Amino acid sequence: MHHSKISGIAILGAGIFVGEAYLPALATLGHTSPPLKAVYSRSEKSSTETAQNATRILGLPSSPDVYFDGDHPNNLDALLGRSDIAAVIIALPITLQPDIVLKCLSAGKHVLSEKPVAPDVARGLRLLRDAEPICQRHGLVWHVAENYETEPVYRAAGEVIKSGKIGNIIFFKVAVVNYIDKTSKWYKTPWRTVPDYQGGFLLDGGVHTIAALRTMLPQTFTHLSGFASLNKEYLPPHDTIHCVVQAGSHYHGIVEMTFASPTKSVPAAENIVITGSKGWLACNATSEGFKMVIRIAEQKDSEATEEKEEIMNFPRKGVETELEAFFDDIVKQQAGEHTSSIGDPKAALEDVAFIQAALTSKGNLMPLPSSFKLLPK
Ligand SMILES: *[C@@H]1O[C@H](CO)[C@@H](O)[C@H](O)[C@H]1NC(C)=O
Ligand SMILES: *[C@@H]1O[C@H](CO)[C@@H](O)[C@H](O)[C@H]1NC(C)=O
């Protein structure tokens, strides 16, 4: 879809993800992306640097305008006052984002804000409750950027499962094993070095995994029981989670997530495996993208079965597809058409609720809200 009806966009944030993911993804979208007109960061230096990088990466004829904390006419209020900027992409520290999301929506801007939607469930609920009437009143689109939700491999896996190819799901397993030392560029981001929110990397990175699972699995999670621990003293408050999860009333699975691997090389293990009554499906990250393997048992004769294997490779392009979905929905919203289900803040809040439950369970059975429809009025 062409997005020329969107007058212009701005990026709020100047971190690693903006430089390494958003700008290249906007460059790939090329002329189908609305023009990047402004950049905001808390400091003038990083905002200027990001504007320079954007000019280079996007091949712009002139630099986007630079905004930063300070006085009019260079601050965020000035940016939000511009009528030629219809939408903003927000990639700021986790605990700052909810207030900025509301500020941007109140200024009449469509918003794509980075995950997690909020540092915890209570803050997320308040944000959703405050944002909803503003979106309604101004006819705005608010997506939470969850690139795993739009990653083609997980969407394709969801379709395979829905088609019944592997039968009825009977169990699943996910293992995410990460190595983070003090030289990691992610660790060096000041707000990640000393996180002021629960879970540390487990919240920031863990919501991706839960989003991938909910994109593939047909039933929502209902309960979990888990344990959390801290093993590397520089990754507080927790770096490891193990839990057992119930989905729907039919099946269950195991979720393992750690950032405490002692070695860079991690033991060989499947990343995600979903097992059905007829076969299983596994998704693994590769250096180029993702690989999906499907193995189905087929009846050979009355006694024996035979296995059939299918292997599919997928590019890594979730950020690009999430941006496209955001721009598409703005155009649809303006035309009075139905928008997609992608980037739903309620679903993003369910991901946060999952991590929060795992961090606080201590082995107790925790109910998981499969819907936040019951928002307090
Ligand atoms: C700008 O790009 C350079 C070169 O890729 C990179 O080293 C730098 O960190 C970027 N700056 C920002 C603020 O993203
Ligand atoms: C996934 O990668 C692991 C190595 O980490 C390997 O042991 C496993 O066989 C791979 N699975 C598939 C289905 O390719």
Side-chain angles (χ1 to χ4, degrees):
M1 197 186 279
H2 207 278
H3 303 109
S4 57
K5 287 187 183 131
I6 306 168
S7 55
I9 57 171
I11 295 180
L12 279 48
I16 303 168
F17 206 68
V18 168
E20 293 185 5
Y22 279 118
L23 292 178
L26 285 171
T28 308
L29 291 179
H31 68 281
T32 68
S33 159
L36 176 65
K37 298 203 169 157
V39 169
Y40 157 85
S41 169
R42 286 171 294 167
S43 85
E44 180 175 7
K45 181 174 173 287
S46 55
S47 190
T48 304
E49 215 179 291
T50 297
Q52 283 164 355
N53 285 359
T55 309
R56 173 171 48 82
I57 295 171
L58 300 175
L60 301 175
S62 62
S63 168
D65 297 322
V66 171
Y67 294 84
F68 48 89
D69 284 355
D71 298 330
H72 219 72
N74 301 108
N75 60 19
L76 182 57
D77 288 328
L79 185 159
L80 294 177
R82 283 176 60 165
S83 59
D84 64 334
I85 293 174
V88 296
I89 297 167
I90 307 177
L92 290 166
I94 293 172
T95 50
L96 296 182
Q97 285 207 137
D99 288 343
I100 305 259
V101 167
L102 280 178
K103 190 180 170 80
C104 295
L105 291 172
S106 302
K109 308 301 177 195
H110 301 286
V111 169
L112 176 69
S113 61
E114 259 305 314
K115 42 50 64 179
V117 59
D120 54 53
V121 175
R123 183 68 189 98
L125 279 171
R126 265 196 292 134
L127 173 59
L128 262 63
R129 188 195 55 203
D130 293 345
E132 197 171 303
I134 304 174
C135 290
Q136 292 274 344
R137 195 163 58 237
H138 297 298
L140 295 172
V141 172
W142 171 31
H143 281 194
V144 173
E146 178 41 78
N147 50 307
Y148 279 40
E149 185 189 46
T150 54
E151 213 42 272
V153 65
Y154 300 129
R155 298 205 81 78
E159 291 303 316
V160 167
I161 290 167
K162 210 159 57 178
S163 76
K165 191 167 191 159
I166 64 169
N168 295 319
I169 309 243
I170 53 179
F171 52 84
F172 66 93
K173 184 211 84 158
V174 47
V176 179
V177 179
N178 291 298
Y179 171 81
I180 298 272
D181 64 20
K182 290 184 183 174
T183 68
S184 155
K185 63 183 178 192
W186 300 107
Y187 179 74
K188 283 182 176 167
T189 309
W191 57 269
R192 287 195 179 90
T193 314
V194 187
D196 56 351
Y197 47 87
Q198 64 180 338
F201 279 93
L202 289 168
L203 177 68
D204 194 15
V207 289
H208 280 312
T209 303
I210 307 310
L213 284 174
R214 72 165 149 83
T215 304
M216 294 185 277
L217 295 173
Q219 276 88 20
T220 47
F221 302 128
T222 63
H223 295 83
L224 71 71
S225 165
F227 294 93
S229 58
L230 176 67
N231 302 284
K232 288 194 170 178
E233 97 294 334
Y234 58 91
L235 296 176
H238 292 100
D239 59 24
T240 302
I241 281 175
H242 281 91
C243 52
V244 183
V245 189
Q246 172 81 42
S249 56
H250 315 292
Y251 59 88
H252 33 81
I254 296 172
V255 174
E256 168 187 33
M257 277 182 217
T258 183
F259 286 83
S261 173
T263 54
K264 229 177 240 176
S265 62
V266 299
E270 305 289 352
N271 176 208
I272 297 178
V273 187
I274 298 173
T275 303
S277 50
K278 296 184 194 160
W280 52 262
L281 172 158
C283 297
N284 255 7
T286 64
S287 51
E288 298 86 46
F290 297 91
K291 185 170 93 171
M292 177 160 83
V293 177
I294 304 171
R295 271 195 168 253
I296 308 289
E298 286 185 349
Q299 210 64 40
K300 199 168 141 211
D301 51 47
S302 61
E303 282 168 8
T305 59
E306 182 172 68
E307 283 187 27
K308 275 222 171 121
E309 182 177 76
E310 255 180 75
I311 299 180
M312 282 174 265
N313 289 295
F314 295 85
R316 182 185 293 272
K317 55 182 239 180
V319 175
E320 190 187 320
T321 43
E322 117 203 324
L323 282 168
E324 251 177 332
F326 175 56
F327 298 144
D328 282 354
D329 273 355
I330 296 175
V331 173
K332 285 184 195 153
Q333 172 82 23
Q334 286 169 346
E337 292 166 19
H338 280 297
T339 52
S340 73
S341 60
I342 290 179
D344 181 3
K346 288 192 211 81
L349 185 51
E350 286 177 32
D351 300 339
V352 172
F354 186 109
I355 301 293
Q356 184 165 325
L359 289 170
T360 52
S361 162
K362 296 192 165 94
N364 295 305
L365 191 63
M366 309 291 283
L368 294 171
S370 50
S371 159
F372 282 96
K373 271 186 223 118
L374 300 171
L375 288 176
K377 281 271 178 255

